[in-house]
Amino acid sequence: MTTSIIVDAQRTVTPLWPVPQERRIVTVLFADIVGSTALVNRLDPEDVRALQRAYFDTVAGVLHRWQGVVEKYIGDAVMALFGARHSDGFDAYRAVRAGLEIQAALDRRPMVDGIRLHVRVGVATGEVVVDLGDVVTGGHGVASGAVITAAARLQEYAAPGAVALCAATARATAGLITQRQLTPVPVAGRVPPVPVWHAVGPVRPGADRHDGPLIGRRRELATIRDQVGAAIRDRTPRWISLVGPTGSGRSRLLHELTRGLTTVDGLSVRWCVATCQPYPDQVLAPVAHLLRGLAGIRHSDGPAAVHDRLVAALTPLFPPTRVATAVPALQRMLTTPDGSAAALAGAAIFREVLLRLAAHRPLIVAVDDLDRAAPAVSRFLHALFGAATERGLPLALLTVHQPQWADTRPGPARQMTIGPLATVQSGRLLRHLLTRAGQPVALVDRLLPLVGGRPGHAAAYVTSLVDGADPAALALPEAVRRAVGAELDHLDGERRAVLMAAGTLGGLISGAAVDRALGWTPGRSASALRKLVAAGLLLPHHAAGYAFAAPALRQVAAERLPRALRAVFQRRVASTPHLDAVHRDANQPDHAGVVNGSAARSVEIVRLDTVGARTGRLDAVFAALASAGPGGATGPTGLRRGGPTPTMATRPAASGPDANRTAGPRQLRAVASPGDVPPTPATAASRPRRRAGGDRFRDVGRPAAPIRRTPTSSAGQWTLADAGNPPGVVRAVPRPPLIRPLDGLPASA
């Protein structure tokens, strides 16, 4: 059963959105009061009204805090969406946290006349289609999908006061939410029974595990070590930002630095590291994490143990009277790092602790995933860096975040972009991961084109295989889909539209094709394409086109479009009589610009039907060209030994005063005529034929020189090989008919 709901997305307005609909992975929360019928029957209607208002206000306030969008109220039930218009990759986590907080808020707040309400909450994650046209203008969008019904069914199996999760939600929140799996439950229309989990509570933050050797990143490690070493030797603090998308290996690189960079010029270095969890309970939680790590305080330590560890950490730095006043303030910040005046006072004391530590011993302060933290954490780091610069302390500050993070770093900050691994390095990483997981190493060849040089994507694919994914299908892992979807949603409307339209176009991407797909005026997408290159999402290609930086990005961008809209985009491009750029697979080597070892200087374009009509004369030309050997000659002009043999892709040597000058190679593009004509015996050989592999190819007569397939994956690219010389390239490209004689060939050809 498919249910349609209305999405209230007024808080997520994004202008200039030219794509009206999207298929999105969203998380749906469904909450309903337990025993509402009996409760309403025994209350006065005015009391029912007051009770409902108090209940709905409480639930809506929690949903708003966790960025949920209230769909509507159905009787006593509340339905909300997370990720309907914008996703940060943690939609399921926010929905589960909202469900747990709704339960806690209702337990703490008596309603009308002391009545306490109990609710069941179901949370399900799945795909819906969202109509975005009205959302942009602040109205209502419509989302449709079976996941909405699934959330309603799940809450029926939740115990009063509990939050029930579907399998997809449980996977998306693994490691972030403590879960308890229940016995699968029967659901109408679903066979076999559906597995159900109950959410217990958020997981305490902890350090991620990084097993195995670090592959690649030698240049990045060396650069960061040089920067840190200069900061310590010169006593000039430096701020170094490690920037990269999710899955690029930023955290793994930071882990390697903390493990390997322990001394600089013989001086022992102290590290102070914190990791920012998504949506921390308190805004200064990362600062408290830094303090816990520095003083060796565990979450299980009681107040007395915390006091003793703080005293031990501060005694070498402050006089006894200052220690006595500083320790209680630091304890309050550890207990409630909520941004209150007391917590901020504790953070100021801790900042002075770090500065005094740096004065005694070189210090490196590192914060991972800083883009997840509240602005108060950035202000703390800026104040620390500024004070250390004024005092000339041997301190380095390392922050790790995503490229789109908009925090303004200090002027002296150095930014290092973590790019994709090289192909060889990705292969080594995949072999290591597959071997450790007990999977066939032969899968490296299948996985290598999919991971796009991102270590996190490689690990996600291997994990999906361990979890039972079909090796023959190799579907995009859910974790990769969430992360890539968040990358898309960080873009403005036009850039998102360009990426989604480009995802439907095969091979290389041209601005002209994107403009036609979106129905834009020519040249409108050029600015967006340049911005996408600057953001690292597209790569410029020397064949006048662009390629996706990550294969997963192309897949997610294309799958965001509904089927009907994909067909519209493809039809617009296909119905255009010409294409301005050659579209090939992004992974295919570009041989088109090189002919016989040198760059092609010009391109001649002829129609295939015209060429086919002159097959007999071309046979003679090819035979003459192929017969030229090291000591032979063609026509009136002799070819020197070792010189390039003229082909359809090269200009024959000219006679006369310029005979000793190397002729520039020329390249033939064989193109289809705009209108089909009935084949004749003379042109039958030039008609398209279908090979077993499905490739359509053009046979221009039957030249004496062999025509052989290049070892690439793109259809329609062939080489004309002459006697012992590198092949040229003939490419089939639809363009307007253009007939001109080939320079250097007899006019009768």
Side-chain angles (χ1 to χ4, degrees), residues 10-26:
Q10 297 183 10
R11 299 191 306 276
T12 55
V13 175
T14 301
L16 300 176
W17 181 242
V19 178
Q21 291 183 339
E22 276 191 22
R23 298 172 68 103
R24 300 183 62 89
I25 303 296
V26 304

Side-chain angles (χ1 to χ4, degrees), residues 638-685:
L639 296 179
R640 295 172 297 176
R641 180 179 298 271
T645 302
T647 69
M648 288 295 288
T650 61
R651 184 196 304 270
S655 61
D658 298 331
N660 294 329
R661 186 175 61 185
T662 303
R666 304 186 69 81
Q667 185 177 7
L668 169 68
R669 289 185 183 174
V671 303
S673 62
D676 293 335
V677 296
T680 65
T683 61

Side-chain angles (χ1 to χ4, degrees), residues 26 101 158 450 643:
V26 304
E101 190 169 317
L450 303 177

Side-chain angles (χ1 to χ4, degrees), residues 132-187:
L132 300 172
D134 291 335
V135 174
V136 173
T137 60
H140 295 280
V142 176
S144 303
V147 65
I148 298 165
T149 303
R153 295 287 182 266
L154 273 174
Q155 68 86 23
E156 297 175 357
Y157 292 98
V163 179
L165 315 178
C166 72
T169 305
R171 289 191 298 268
T173 58
L176 299 172
I177 298 292
T178 303
Q179 306 163 359
R180 184 176 67 254
Q181 186 171 4
L182 305 179
T183 303
V185 298
V187 175

Side-chain angles (χ1 to χ4, degrees), residues 230-262:
I232 292 174
R233 281 190 299 269
D234 302 338
R235 301 181 72 87
T236 55
R238 298 198 181 189
W239 186 318
I240 306 165
S241 294
L242 308 183
V243 182
T246 302
S248 60
R250 304 166 308 180
S251 300
R252 180 67 177 87
L253 184 58
L254 177 59
H255 172 77
E256 188 69 17
L257 287 167
T258 59
R259 190 177 65 87
L261 183 56
T262 56

Side-chain angles (χ1 to χ4, degrees), residues 7 9 11-14 22 24-27 66-69 81-92 94 130 132 135 279 404 482 485-492 496 560:
V7 182
R11 299 191 306 276
T12 55
V13 175
T14 301
E22 276 191 22
R24 300 183 62 89
I25 303 296
V26 304
T27 299
W66 288 101
Q67 301 178 19
V69 176
L81 295 183
F82 294 78
R85 184 62 184 86
H86 179 275
S87 173
D88 58 0
F90 296 99
D91 307 315
R94 289 186 285 110
V130 181
L132 300 172
V135 174
Y279 298 95
Q404 69 276 356
R482 289 193 300 270
E487 289 183 52
L488 277 174
D489 284 345
H490 281 300
L491 303 173
D492 58 31
R496 283 174 63 186
R560 282 278 188 93

Side-chain angles (χ1 to χ4, degrees), residues 355-427:
L355 293 170
R356 297 205 176 196
L357 277 174
H360 286 79
R361 177 181 172 186
L363 178 67
I364 305 175
V365 178
V367 180
D368 196 2
D369 292 318
L370 183 57
D371 48 302
R372 300 178 182 175
V377 178
S378 292
R379 290 193 292 269
F380 173 85
L381 295 177
H382 280 272
L384 173 66
F385 185 80
T389 302
E390 291 178 0
R391 302 184 191 184
L393 298 177
L395 180 142
L397 189 59
L398 267 67
T399 55
V400 181
H401 57 84
Q402 296 190 47
Q404 69 276 356
W405 189 50
D407 180 68
T408 303
R409 296 178 300 278
R414 276 77 172 174
Q415 177 171 311
M416 171 172 289
T417 300
I418 309 301
L421 291 175
T423 302
V424 173
Q425 296 168 344
S426 296

